[in-house]
Amino acid sequence: MAELVTGEAVALDLRVARLPSRACALFIDLMLQLTLLGVFGNLLGAITSIADPAWGVGVTLVTVVLVIVGYPCAMETLTRGRTLGKLALGMRVVAGDGGPVRFRQALVRALAGFLEFWTLYGAPALIASLCSRRGRRLGDVFAGTIVIQERASGPAHFGPVAVMPPGLAGWAAGLELSRVPDDLAMTARQYLVRFWELLPEVRDELGARIAGQVGALVSPPPPPGWRPELVLSAVLAERRVREARRLTAQRAQLRRLRGLPPEPAMASGPPPYPATPGGPPSGPVPYPTTGGPAPHPAMAGGPAPYPATAGGPPAGPAPYPPAGGGPPIGPMPYPPAAGWPSTGTMPYPPPTGGPPTGPMP
């Protein structure tokens, strides 16, 4: 995973394409190029049998250059970094700053690819990719590009990574965040993204270390009794809210300078359902009526009760969503991290890949 920060202090996550995926995409492109060379070779063979041999050699050379160099250069320029192989594998070539690839960069990659794959049989590309942290071959190094994975496998993430814990909202509202650098904020965000993938002991140790670094730079310090991932979630959520407010103020000022009317305010709260016979009640509905996990209680007004049926679970807050297959949303005990006191209970978060949103016992 590669992290970039734009000029607006917005962190971008670039999932670097792995070597096996790039090899499969390269194999598809090479098979296509060899097929084109075979088709054009047969056509040129028939033409040169009745034409001047020198003319046939010139046309053959131009055809080979167009297929080997022109195909990847033209495809990556016109499709913003994709060839047919990369499109099939869900990959894209981007510039080093995350922007779209340019013609000059695509041409450099294509020329370097001729030497790497067609002349030296891919050995320089393989060695350079294994030695590079971002899997860059020599063409990527010369052109200043990187190959990223657009379609990621595994469970999808919904919603923001950092969610404001209700008990820390008052503390986060008065934080001084100017001393928190972007690289530390990105480190905390990556920790929250991979929170449920880490082993418990590694997760607690890493979270305590990152939260200690963040806590030393914010003012006032974090309140006692909260786990490190909750403190980091509160800091990043407040940072995101302030950035959104700043961008909104900039857009409003720009519209005033241009003489445009202000943007319409967003209606607060979910839209009510119409009261129909046999349908859902009117007013805000905290849970969707279709399949999928229920939202978090902090966002939906509390968990949905189970119906009291004979032999079934009792009525009251349900620890599991009624449908879907995501993680449970009810409170559950959790072992505290070393050096971090704990109080209360910590509910599971909604299936966003982020940390839990309450204190833990």
Side-chain angles (χ1 to χ4, degrees):
M1 182 78 71
E3 304 89 7
L4 295 175
V5 177
T6 64
E8 293 79 14
V10 178
L12 300 178
D13 291 335
L14 299 180
R15 188 181 297 273
V16 178
R18 301 296 182 182
L19 185 59
S21 301
R22 297 188 62 176
C24 293
L26 175 63
F27 177 78
I28 295 175
D29 289 330
L30 289 180
M31 291 297 100
L32 177 62
Q33 289 174 298
L34 290 176
T35 302
L36 292 177
L37 288 177
V39 171
F40 287 122
N42 292 332
L43 294 177
L44 292 176
I47 294 176
T48 53
S49 61
I50 58 175
D52 188 4
W55 181 85
V57 171
V59 174
T60 302
L61 180 61
V62 171
T63 303
V64 171
V65 172
L66 289 178
V67 172
I68 295 178
V69 179
Y71 161 74
C73 179
M75 288 292 296
E76 291 180 359
T77 303
L78 298 177
T79 61
R80 292 182 174 270
R82 297 189 186 97
T83 59
L84 293 181
K86 293 182 179 64
L87 183 62
L89 273 295
M91 297 187 298
R92 179 196 294 267
V93 181
V94 298
D97 57 355
V101 65
R102 299 179 178 87
F103 170 76
R104 175 183 57 83
Q105 295 170 320
L107 180 60
V108 172
R109 294 187 78 257
L111 292 175
F114 173 75
L115 296 177
E116 291 180 280
F117 303 120
W118 296 89
T119 304
L120 301 176
Y121 303 102
L126 178 61
I127 296 174
S129 298
L130 294 176
C131 296
S132 174
R133 183 174 61 88
R134 296 184 174 183
R136 304 169 70 188
R137 63 178 179 89
L138 294 182
D140 294 318
V141 176
F142 297 154
T145 57
I146 182 174
V147 181
I148 62 174
Q149 188 79 42
E150 290 188 310
R151 294 199 303 265
S153 59
H157 298 292
F158 304 94
V161 173
V163 180
M164 177 63 70
L168 292 178
W171 167 74
L175 277 180
E176 172 58 41
L177 300 175
S178 59
R179 297 177 56 194
V180 180
D182 295 328
D183 55 350
L184 182 58
M186 286 190 297
T187 302
R189 187 179 187 277
Q190 292 303 318
Y191 167 73
L192 297 182
V193 170
R194 301 180 179 273
F195 181 81
W196 298 109
E197 302 176 6
L198 302 174
L199 296 176
E201 57 273 11
V202 177
R203 178 172 59 202
D204 294 340
E205 180 184 357
L206 182 60
R209 183 168 70 249
I210 299 176
Q213 297 175 0
V214 174
L217 298 176
V218 299
S219 179
W226 289 85
R227 289 187 54 83
E229 63 269 12
L230 303 180
V231 175
L232 296 176
S233 182
V235 171
L236 294 184
E238 181 64 23
R239 180 185 173 100
R240 183 183 66 244
V241 169
R242 295 183 184 182
E243 180 66 20
R245 290 174 181 171
R246 185 183 67 83
L247 295 178
T248 301
Q250 288 182 354
R251 288 198 300 267
Q253 183 180 5
L254 183 60
R255 292 180 70 89
R256 286 195 302 268
L257 293 177
R258 294 179 177 179
L260 301 175
E263 295 180 352
M266 296 292 293
S268 60
Y273 276 96
T276 56
S282 60
V285 178
Y287 285 88
T289 57
T290 59
H296 192 267
M299 302 173 60
Y306 274 109
T309 57
Y320 285 87
I329 61 174
M332 66 167 291
Y334 194 87
W340 284 82
S342 58
T343 58
T345 57
M346 181 187 78
Y348 266 104
T352 61
T357 58
M360 291 223 46

